[in-house]
Amino acid sequence: MIDLRYPIGKFDPPGRLAPERRTACIEEIAALPAILRRVVAGLSKSRLDTEYRPGGWTVRQVVHHLPDSHINAYTRMKIALTEDTPTIRTYEEARWAELPDGRAAPIEISLALVQALHERWTWLLRALTPDQFGRTYHHPDLGAVTLDTGLAMYAWHGRHHVAHITGLGERMGW
């Protein structure tokens, strides 16, 4: 039985990434906007406002959550690249999802935002040296996080939320 909350499993921090795995993660981040756009293409308002699991976010909230989360990740990485082991700020993602833009805004806004963000983010990631991927930030809940771990985490994060949407579509016969 698939855990609807973690349809691809929980994130497992990889440690230092091999160059090939690092490149694959960057390419996953680059590909997410097109994949996300494809999986939500043509969904009606009622489908967008369907929870991906009982008590979970709606598809619309998931779409809006991705750029919210990934903007934070991009910012955290840039801070880690320009400061020595900075402590980053967390945010209440569940509360952000309940704000009016998360609950009701047209998804096209977030699809465009994630497209622009991921273009900029992957441009940065492709330009980093292997040593730069070893830089860290301090997460109040997770402790020291390297850019390698952050990269793997957000490649996973995109797949994780796409699986929420595609899994719902499969279960509902969309």
Side-chain angles (χ1 to χ4, degrees):
M1 175 100 183
I2 293 176
D3 180 346
L4 296 180
R5 189 162 178 215
Y6 295 100
I8 64 168
K10 291 186 178 183
F11 176 68
D12 183 22
R16 190 85 173 158
L17 295 176
E20 302 80 26
R21 180 69 183 125
R22 188 178 296 132
T23 298
C25 287
I26 293 169
E27 294 312 309
E28 286 184 56
I29 287 174
L32 179 66
I35 293 168
L36 182 61
R37 189 173 289 278
R38 187 178 70 247
V39 301
V40 298
L43 292 182
S44 66
K45 181 182 182 321
S46 66
R47 288 180 178 179
L48 288 171
D49 293 329
T50 301
E51 294 175 346
Y52 77 87
R53 66 176 173 84
W57 289 340
T58 65
V59 172
R60 182 184 311 275
Q61 287 172 301
V62 170
V63 171
H64 291 313
H65 164 72
L66 281 163
D68 286 348
S69 175
H70 292 196
I71 285 170
N72 276 282
Y74 172 70
T75 301
R76 291 168 180 174
M77 287 185 174
K78 288 190 74 148
I79 290 170
L81 288 165
T82 59
E83 299 176 21
D84 292 329
T85 317
T87 297
I88 57 91
R89 191 172 186 289
T90 61
Y91 72 104
E92 298 291 334
E93 65 181 33
R95 293 171 93 182
W96 281 35
E98 294 300 326
L99 292 171
D101 61 329
R103 292 200 60 77
I107 63 167
E108 183 55 42
I109 297 168
S110 284
L111 293 173
L113 181 55
V114 81
Q115 177 69 45
L117 171 64
H118 280 234
E119 285 180 25
R120 176 92 181 264
W121 194 8
T122 56
W123 199 97
L124 172 68
L125 292 168
R126 288 174 178 147
L128 297 180
T129 66
D131 286 345
Q132 287 174 306
F133 281 100
R135 293 189 61 90
T136 62
Y137 57 83
H138 177 80
H139 188 290
D141 300 327
L142 304 175
V145 176
T146 66
L147 293 192
D148 262 342
T149 297
L151 172 62
M153 183 184 328
Y154 285 94
W156 169 88
H157 188 253
R159 290 191 317 274
H160 166 73
H161 285 302
V162 164
H164 285 150
I165 298 166
T166 58
L168 172 64
E170 290 167 8
R171 291 189 309 278
M172 301 295 284
W174 296 346

